Amino acid sequence: MRTIAFLLALIAAENAQAARILGLFPHTGKSHQMVFDPLLKTLAERGHHLTVVSFFPIKDPPANYTTVSLEGLSPLGLETVDLSFYEDDASATVLSLLGIKQIYQQFMDFQPLSDLALDVCSKLVDFQPLAEVLQKSYDIILVETFNSDCMLGLAHVYGLKAPFVSLLTSSMMHWCPDRIGVTDNPSYVPILSSEFTSEMSFMQRLENTFMNVYYKIWYRYAIQLKEKAMIEKRFGRRIPDLQDLGKNVTAMMLNTFHSLNGVRPLLPGVIEVGGMHLDPRPRAIPHYIERFLNESEHGVVLFSWGSLIKTATIPKYKEDIIINALSKIKQRVIWKYENSDEEGTLTGNILKVKWIPQYDLLQHKKVIAFIAHGGLLGMTEAVSAGKPMLIVPFYGDQPLNAASADMIGLGKVISYADLTEKTLLEGLQTVLSAEMRLSARRVSKIWHDRIADPLETAVYWVERIIRWGDSDPLHSKARDLSFIEYNLLDVVAVISVTFILFILIMWVVLNKMLRFISGSFHSKEKLH
C-alpha cells in the first residue's frame, strides 16, 4: 500500500511548488528524532527545501536539505536511565502503603524535563547558527512539542510568520489540548503518564483529574514562564505569553493511532500518524544474529528496554531473576545489553548484544514475542509486526502504553517492582501462548487497516497546510475561549442568579398572597 501511495504522491508532486520548510527539534532524545526523520527525508525527496535544526542531524543530506546541528549544547539522551533508581527503598514502601506511590513516581519522572528544557533554552538564545536560520523566511514550520516552547518564543523574536505544525512522538502532552481546542476531559481521557484506560474507577478519575490540573500548572510555572523570562532578558524586550504563542499552531501530528492507543477526542487539526517512522524496506541483519535466529527450533524472544535505559545498570539480583526465568523457556532470547562483546555474548539460550535492528528483527518469522518497556516506538513496531509483548513499564507514557496493549490483547504487563522469576515466567507463558499470538496478529491487522499510509498522511497534511495556511482553520474555537467561557461558568452564574431571583420573587409574592389571604380571613371573622 505504501509503495502505490508513494508513487501516486510523487506524480502529484511533479506539479507541486517546492516549499521552504523549517524543522525545529530541540529535544535531546534520539528516539524522538527517529520518528520525525522519515517525514523530513520524504519531504526533501518530493523537492521541498528543508532546513532542520536538531541534536541528531542526518548524515550526507541532499542538496535541498540543510542541517543545523545542536550537538554539544546539551548531553544526548542515550542510555542515560540507571535502573538502580527504580529499586524500592523504605520511602517507596511507605508511599505504597499510603496508596500514592504512582503519583509520586509521576512527579519524579517529569521533573527532569523542566531542568532539561531550561538548560537547552539557555543555550539556544545565544546560539548564532540558530539565529541565522530564524532570520530567513519559510512557508511552514515544523516544531517538536514536548517539554519546551523556547523555539516558539525565539521564532516570534525573529518575526517568523509561517504556519506552525506541532509534531509529537506520543499522544498529547498535558499542556497541548488547549492550544488547538480539543477536549481532554479527565473523566475518560487518561493523562499521558498514568496507567489508566478510558474506563476508570472513581479513585482513578480523582487521581486523573488532580494530575491533569497539576501538570498544566507545573508546565506553566516550571517551564513556560522561565523560558519567557530567559528570552526577554537576552533580547531586552517583552514577548507575548508562550501559552498564547502555542495557540498559533495550525495542526498537531501525533505518533498514535486509535486502535493501539485508545479512542480520544480529535479535530481536523489533530492528525494521528502513528507508524510513520516505520520503513517497510528490509535491512540486513548482522550475520551472527541471523544464524542464531535460523538455528532456533522453537522461535526467538526479543528483549529490549529501549535507547534511554542502560540495561547494564540492572542490579545483580534482578539480572539473575531474568536469566533464571529466560533459561526455563524453550525459545531462544536476544537481549539488547550494552556490556556485550562486539558479536554478542551467548549464555545458554540467551544472546546478549550491544545493538539490535529492532524493527527488522520483529518482522523476522523466527521472532515470536517481544519483552519491552512500553516505549511507543517499540510498541508501534510490535503491533506493526503482529508480535505479542511482555511489557515492564518504567516512566513517562510507558505505563499508559502498557495498559493500552493489555486492554486490546497485544500484551501482558508486569511492574518492575513485582518482577520475580515466577511472575516473569508466567508472563512469558501467557505471551507465548497460541491465543496471545493469534490476538496480536488480529490487533496488527486492525492497526494496518487505514485509509492511507501514516507517512503519506503526514506528508499530505504538511503540503495541504503549505497550500492553504490558516485560511482553512483546523482548530476549534474552544481554544480562543477563556476558562470561564469554555466551562460555561458565566452561563451557570447567570442561570443561578436568575433562579435565585426567581425564587426570591416567588417567595415575596407568595408571602404577600398569604398575608392578603390571612388578612381577608381575619376581616371576615370580625364582621361576624
Side-chain angles (χ1 to χ4, degrees), residues 241-301:
D241 196 317
L242 295 182
Q243 189 167 265
D244 294 331
L245 291 179
K247 292 184 178 182
N248 291 333
V249 63
T250 300
M252 290 182 175
M253 292 189 185
L254 315 180
N255 186 34
T256 60
F257 190 63
H258 70 269
S259 65
L260 173 63
N261 304 94
V263 175
R264 302 286 185 271
L266 296 177
L267 294 168
V270 179
I271 306 151
E272 292 194 305
V273 290
M276 74 173 181
H277 74 286
L278 300 178
D279 189 343
R281 295 170 295 185
R283 295 177 297 176
I285 294 173
H287 67 89
Y288 68 97
I289 296 180
E290 186 74 59
R291 186 173 65 250
F292 185 78
L293 289 165
N294 292 331
E295 292 175 355
S296 171
E297 182 181 353
H298 302 287
V300 174
V301 175

Side-chain angles (χ1 to χ4, degrees), residues 178-194:
D178 294 344
R179 300 183 180 201
I180 200 161
V182 66
T183 182
D184 63 337
N185 189 327
S187 66
Y188 69 99
V189 180
I191 60 169
L192 183 74
S193 57
S194 75

Side-chain angles (χ1 to χ4, degrees), residues 185-402:
N185 189 327
S187 66
Y188 69 99
V189 180
I191 60 169
L192 183 74
S193 57
S194 75
E195 54 186 12
F196 306 145
T197 65
S198 293
E199 298 178 4
M200 290 177 269
S201 66
F202 169 76
M203 291 304 297
Q204 289 173 335
R205 286 186 287 113
L206 180 63
E207 177 183 327
N208 199 54
T209 302
F210 171 76
M211 295 304 296
N212 179 292
V213 174
Y214 166 78
Y215 277 128
K216 291 178 180 181
I217 295 173
W218 170 82
Y219 184 73
R220 175 150 183 80
Y221 289 94
I223 297 177
Q224 269 188 336
L225 294 181
K226 292 181 180 180
E227 287 185 333
K228 179 176 184 288
M230 280 183 185
I231 295 170
E232 290 178 339
K233 181 179 180 180
R234 166 63 180 80
F235 293 95
R237 63 186 179 91
R238 299 291 299 274
I239 64 170
D241 196 317
L242 295 182
Q243 189 167 265
D244 294 331
L245 291 179
K247 292 184 178 182
N248 291 333
V249 63
T250 300
M252 290 182 175
M253 292 189 185
L254 315 180
N255 186 34
T256 60
F257 190 63
H258 70 269
S259 65
L260 173 63
N261 304 94
V263 175
R264 302 286 185 271
L266 296 177
L267 294 168
V270 179
I271 306 151
E272 292 194 305
V273 290
M276 74 173 181
H277 74 286
L278 300 178
D279 189 343
R281 295 170 295 185
R283 295 177 297 176
I285 294 173
H287 67 89
Y288 68 97
I289 296 180
E290 186 74 59
R291 186 173 65 250
F292 185 78
L293 289 165
N294 292 331
E295 292 175 355
S296 171
E297 182 181 353
H298 302 287
V300 174
V301 175
L302 188 63
F303 182 3
S304 173
W305 280 343
S307 61
L308 271 178
I309 293 175
K310 189 169 185 178
T311 312
T313 62
I314 191 169
K316 181 65 167 58
Y317 85 95
K318 213 78 164 181
E319 183 174 355
D320 289 341
I321 286 173
I322 293 172
I323 291 175
N324 290 339
L326 295 179
S327 65
K328 292 179 180 178
I329 62 175
K330 61 184 179 181
Q331 289 78 17
R332 289 185 168 188
V333 179
I334 297 176
W335 185 357
K336 178 185 173 292
Y337 195 97
E338 301 81 21
N339 288 6
S340 305
D341 297 332
E342 194 61 36
E343 292 204 356
T345 303
L346 182 61
T347 305
N349 63 330
I350 304 170
L351 177 66
K352 292 181 177 178
V353 296
K354 283 185 177 181
W355 172 86
I356 57 172
Q358 185 167 285
Y359 186 46
D360 301 281
L361 287 175
L362 284 169
Q363 295 181 94
H364 198 285
K365 63 182 181 180
K366 285 286 188 176
V367 173
I368 59 175
F370 186 25
I371 303 174
H373 65 320
L376 194 48
L377 268 67
M379 287 270 295
T380 304
E381 293 168 3
V383 73
S384 177
K387 302 299 167 66
M389 307 177 70
L390 180 61
I391 308 168
V392 185
F394 291 91
Y395 55 83
D397 62 347
Q398 294 165 15
L400 179 67
N401 297 335

Side-chain angles (χ1 to χ4, degrees), residues 163 180 247-251 267-271 461 464-465 468-477 479-480:
I180 200 161
K247 292 184 178 182
N248 291 333
V249 63
T250 300
L267 294 168
V270 179
I271 306 151
W461 278 101
R464 190 183 194 278
I465 293 169
W468 304 111
D470 291 324
S471 61
D472 179 32
L474 303 174
H475 66 277
S476 163
K477 285 297 181 181
R479 79 174 184 183
D480 302 321

